[in-house]
């Protein structure tokens, strides 16, 4: 009688593999927590959607901007959540980014929060990431500066004295050789007879202008010391000018 025996193989112990998977999960959770913390430290607001326009991520700045908690935003359809934005230029830019796969910038007033918003929509394989910031104060500052500039321009254009803003040009040795007109008023044109001066240099407009003009303006630009003088410009039909020159800024 013969007996045969065979060794039975038991399945591999699943515990090491399970432990490895648990470690991978812990590593991913730690990485996600780090990324979320980094996003929440951003000053720019950020939100992400999938191809169905479902919100998949928001950061703390977006919560603050919209005045809604994260759990009120995640998993919601963005345009159902903010229907008042549909049809605005911001909405059009974001939709265009999703459809074209090309990043789009936007800058407009958001009816969702009644504030001006500037930002960009960047397509991703899973949908779209939009980052933006509140541009209300920036816009108000720009409008105030624009109004101030318009007021000063109106004053300069109404006065009888000629006014010009120039940039003195020095050679490699530090000697003033020319100056470029950045801004003039109508009275300047009337007093000097020069036209279309913006962006052009004095030597270009008046090739034989007296060297004294370059020396005086160069000294004012270099030292910052203002000067009041009376000077003849022989190349300008021997006209005499009473000039007050001073440096602007540094």
């Amino acid at each position: 009688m013969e007996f045969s025996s065979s060794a039975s193989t038991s399945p591999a112990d699943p515990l090491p593999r399970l432990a490895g998977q648990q470690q991978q999960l812990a590593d991913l959770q730690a990485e996600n927590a780090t990324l979320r913390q980094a996003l929440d430290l951003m000053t720019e607001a950020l939100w992400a959607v999938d191809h169905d326009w479902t919100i998949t991520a928001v950061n703390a700045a977006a919560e603050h901007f919209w005045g809604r908690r994260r759990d009120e935003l995640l998993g919601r359809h963005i345009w159902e959540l903010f229907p008042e934005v549909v049809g605005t230029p911001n909405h059009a830019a974001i939709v265009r980014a999703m459809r074209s796969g090309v990043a789009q910038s936007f800058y407009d007033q958001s009816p969702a929060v009644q504030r001006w918003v500037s930002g960009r929509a960047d397509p991703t394989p899973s949908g779209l990431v939009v980052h933006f910031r509140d541009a209300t104060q920036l816009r108000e500052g720009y409008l105030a500066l624009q109004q101030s500039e318009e007021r000063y321009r109106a004053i300069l254009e109404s006065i009888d004295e000629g006014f010009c803003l120039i940039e003195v040009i020095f050679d490699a040795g530090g000697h003033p050789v020319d100056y470029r007109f950045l801004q003039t008023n109508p009275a300047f044109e009337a007093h000097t007879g020069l036209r279309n001066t913006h962006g052009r240099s004095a030597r270009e407009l008046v090739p034989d202008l007296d060297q004294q003009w370059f020396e005086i303006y160069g000294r004012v630009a270099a030292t910052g010391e203002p000067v009041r003088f009376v000077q003849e410009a022989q190349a300008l039909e021997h006209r005499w000018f009473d000039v007050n020159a001073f440096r602007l800024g540094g």
Side-chain angles (χ1 to χ4, degrees), residues 6-75:
S6 61
S8 61
T9 28
S10 59
D13 190 351
L15 291 181
R17 184 172 58 184
L18 181 60
Q21 291 175 342
Q22 290 177 334
Q23 183 59 48
Q24 290 178 349
L25 178 60
D27 291 343
L28 286 174
Q29 289 174 335
E31 183 178 353
N32 287 338
T34 301
L35 290 174
R36 177 171 172 175
Q37 184 180 18
L39 291 176
D40 284 340
L41 291 174
M42 291 175 56
T43 56
E44 280 193 331
L46 179 143
W47 53 270
V49 292
D50 59 20
H51 291 288
D52 295 324
W53 296 104
T54 300
I55 301 176
T56 58
V58 293
N59 68 351
E63 290 183 276
H64 177 73
F65 184 84
W66 282 328
R68 303 198 184 198
R69 298 192 313 272
R70 194 169 313 209
D71 57 5
E72 297 177 298
L73 299 168
L74 293 176

Side-chain angles (χ1 to χ4, degrees), residues 12-238:
D13 190 351
L15 291 181
R17 184 172 58 184
L18 181 60
Q21 291 175 342
Q22 290 177 334
Q23 183 59 48
Q24 290 178 349
L25 178 60
D27 291 343
L28 286 174
Q29 289 174 335
E31 183 178 353
N32 287 338
T34 301
L35 290 174
R36 177 171 172 175
Q37 184 180 18
L39 291 176
D40 284 340
L41 291 174
M42 291 175 56
T43 56
E44 280 193 331
L46 179 143
W47 53 270
V49 292
D50 59 20
H51 291 288
D52 295 324
W53 296 104
T54 300
I55 301 176
T56 58
V58 293
N59 68 351
E63 290 183 276
H64 177 73
F65 184 84
W66 282 328
R68 303 198 184 198
R69 298 192 313 272
R70 194 169 313 209
D71 57 5
E72 297 177 298
L73 299 168
L74 293 176
R76 301 286 301 276
H77 190 285
I78 184 69
W79 306 129
E80 292 177 358
L81 197 61
F82 301 108
E84 62 273 26
V85 178
V86 176
T88 65
N90 288 354
H91 170 261
I94 294 170
V95 171
R96 189 161 57 249
M98 178 75 85
R99 291 177 177 173
S100 67
V102 178
Q104 302 288 327
S105 297
F106 55 87
Y107 173 70
D108 194 29
Q109 188 174 27
S110 172
V113 289
Q114 298 301 317
R115 282 179 281 179
W116 283 81
V117 177
S118 67
R120 193 179 71 184
D122 291 301
T124 67
S126 58
L128 203 67
V129 172
V130 179
H131 53 93
F132 62 96
R133 65 179 58 192
D134 188 341
T136 305
Q137 290 186 345
L138 180 64
R139 177 176 173 80
E140 290 174 350
Y142 170 77
L143 292 177
L145 181 63
Q146 188 178 46
Q147 292 172 357
S148 176
E149 182 181 355
E150 289 174 352
R151 286 195 296 268
Y152 281 114
R153 185 177 296 275
I155 293 172
L156 289 175
E157 291 184 353
S158 64
I159 62 177
D160 294 331
E161 286 187 316
F163 165 86
C164 68
L165 179 63
I166 64 173
E167 175 188 16
V168 180
I169 300 171
F170 297 87
D171 64 13
H175 304 293
V177 294
D178 203 351
Y179 53 86
R180 182 177 295 106
F181 291 99
L182 304 180
Q183 186 177 351
T184 61
N185 67 345
F188 176 85
E189 295 184 356
H191 289 308
T192 64
L194 299 177
R195 301 286 186 272
N196 302 319
T197 59
H198 180 73
R200 302 172 70 184
S201 74
R203 290 198 183 278
E204 178 185 358
L205 293 165
V206 191
D208 54 347
L209 184 63
D210 311 68
Q211 178 63 26
Q212 291 176 326
W213 291 94
F214 307 116
E215 297 292 340
I216 295 172
Y217 292 151
R219 188 162 53 251
V220 172
T223 65
E225 297 180 5
V227 63
R228 182 74 179 264
F229 63 97
V230 176
Q231 179 73 32
E232 180 187 14
Q234 296 181 3
L236 292 176
E237 301 176 349
H238 295 275

